[in-house]
Amino acid sequence: MNMIQNHYPLNTKNVYAILLNPKLKSLIFGGDWTLQKWENGSWMGAKMNGMYGFGDVGMQLNFAPDYYCFSYPVSCYRITPGKYRIIQSFHDGREEITVSAEFWIDE
């Protein structure tokens, strides 16, 4: 998975990622994802703004595209400048596949 941009402004509402699919697997995915921030030499869970929750409803396309594109609403979190990563899990019917992509939030 790769971010569409490596740097986003502090006031960004969403960040975007592309998952390339060269083996043309039909993947099952949902809204369950994790945002982490690099702090003091390790990845820490980002703090949310208020009372949010993400349910995980599975979705599977009835075809296997060359790539999947995702939008992640980071405005639900207390964003400060720094290095972040998105972690998302997928399932191909046999195994779980977990991927991540890093990006920066700038002032």
Side-chain angles (χ1 to χ4, degrees), residues 1-5 16-20 100-102:
M1 186 163 77
N2 294 301
M3 301 307 292
I4 299 232
Q5 294 176 219
Y16 304 92
I18 291 180
L19 177 67
L20 299 177
S100 65
E102 298 177 8

Side-chain angles (χ1 to χ4, degrees), residues 84-95:
Y84 289 84
R85 75 175 174 182
I86 299 283
I87 300 172
Q88 172 109 33
S89 293
F90 301 88
H91 204 280
D92 71 355
R94 290 185 211 112
E95 66 179 329

Side-chain angles (χ1 to χ4, degrees), residues 53-71:
F54 294 99
D56 193 17
V57 175
M59 180 173 155
Q60 182 176 21
L61 303 175
N62 56 3
F63 63 94
D66 293 331
Y67 62 90
Y68 295 84
C69 187
F70 297 96
S71 172

Side-chain angles (χ1 to χ4, degrees), residues 35-40 42-46 78-85:
L35 179 65
Q36 295 180 328
K37 184 175 184 190
W38 184 254
E39 291 182 336
N40 302 317
S42 63
W43 290 107
M44 307 295 288
R78 294 182 201 145
I79 299 297
T80 57
K83 183 178 178 179
Y84 289 84
R85 75 175 174 182

